[in-house]
Amino acid sequence: MCSWCWGFRATWLTVLEDLPEAVSVVTLLGGLAPDSAQPMPTEMQAMISNTWKTIQQRIPGTRFDHSFWQKCQARRSTYPACRAVIAARNQNPSFEQAMVLAIQQAYYLNAQNPSDKGILVDLAKDLLLDITLFEKDLSSEQTQQQLDREILQARALGATGFPSLILEYKDKNSLLKLSYNDPEKILKQVLSFLTK
């Protein structure tokens, strides 16, 4: 549920396709905003809405359904979506990225609120997940503990924001500079570390 991650998606997919085979990718959930039932303050809604417009200007081709702000009761609560990704991954690792994309499309393109359990369950149904297991995992303590571990691990690795790319090489972690429009700039950084 990070709008910059949504904007970065196309570039990231190109990076993934072109990474050397020796490079393995591990995705960690960063959390962003803890559980909250409180409506998002009007000022924060305006700030995030403006961020969406900025992303559209800076990352050509990125789309947002701005009617979200009228159709949904926005909440600053991304942990439910994070737990949904873990619950999907628990059924099969191949469902992880499918759930991430489903959440992003629901939020950014279809004006649906993935802070709502019902939306997450509907997305799981669309992905043909075992719904009974998904709902159990979505609210389980084990899933929350896994999310907590991933948040701590991301911070320990040096993640400073969303998205963050960290290359672990020769027991050293290096935060890569993001380029939202040029995958080559990211790939060159990776290759420069691998050839040292």
Side-chain angles (χ1 to χ4, degrees):
M1 287 181 67
C2 159
S3 49
W4 285 102
C5 295
W6 171 242
F8 186 56
R9 181 174 176 77
T11 295
W12 177 238
L13 290 175
T14 301
V15 169
L16 285 175
E17 285 177 17
D18 296 340
L19 278 174
E21 286 185 25
V23 176
S24 60
V25 175
V26 175
T27 303
L28 297 173
L29 296 160
L32 191 58
D35 294 310
S36 175
Q38 297 299 312
M40 187 183 294
T42 305
E43 303 80 25
M44 184 174 281
Q45 290 184 46
M47 181 199 72
I48 295 173
S49 176
N50 285 331
T51 298
W52 289 10
K53 292 171 187 170
T54 299
I55 292 169
Q56 285 183 294
Q57 293 168 354
R58 292 190 188 168
I59 309 172
T62 305
R63 295 182 4 230
F64 293 93
D65 182 345
H66 295 276
S67 71
F68 171 86
W69 303 104
Q70 290 77 46
K71 291 180 178 178
C72 296
Q73 181 183 45
R75 296 193 319 280
R76 184 83 172 145
S77 182
T78 65
Y79 280 26
C82 291
R83 288 192 296 269
V85 172
I86 293 169
R89 181 200 302 155
N90 286 348
Q91 291 193 31
N92 189 312
S94 66
F95 286 126
E96 178 178 13
Q97 290 307 312
M99 180 56 82
V100 169
L101 179 59
I103 289 167
Q104 290 175 328
Q105 288 176 332
Y107 187 25
Y108 299 119
L109 300 180
N110 300 325
Q112 296 175 316
N113 192 344
S115 297
D116 297 338
K117 180 181 177 183
I119 296 296
L120 297 170
V121 170
D122 287 345
L123 297 177
K125 286 177 185 172
D126 291 344
L127 294 174
L128 304 178
L129 295 176
D130 176 327
I131 297 304
T132 303
L133 180 57
F134 178 82
E135 288 189 275
K136 178 181 170 229
D137 285 349
L138 190 60
S139 59
S140 79
E141 184 58 35
Q142 291 86 355
T143 300
Q144 181 60 48
Q145 289 171 358
Q146 178 61 32
L147 175 57
D148 293 340
R149 281 191 295 272
E150 291 189 32
I151 292 169
L152 289 173
Q153 185 179 0
R155 289 179 186 160
L157 289 170
T160 57
F162 303 98
S164 286
L165 298 178
I166 298 156
L167 180 69
E168 182 181 22
Y169 185 65
K170 294 184 178 177
D171 297 325
K172 184 179 177 192
N173 298 326
S174 301
L175 185 64
L176 301 180
K177 292 180 184 173
L178 293 179
S179 173
Y180 287 93
N181 295 305
D182 188 352
E184 277 303 310
K185 288 184 179 178
I186 296 168
L187 289 163
K188 284 179 183 176
Q189 291 175 75
V190 172
L191 293 174
S192 73
F193 280 103
L194 297 181
T195 56
K196 285 182 181 179

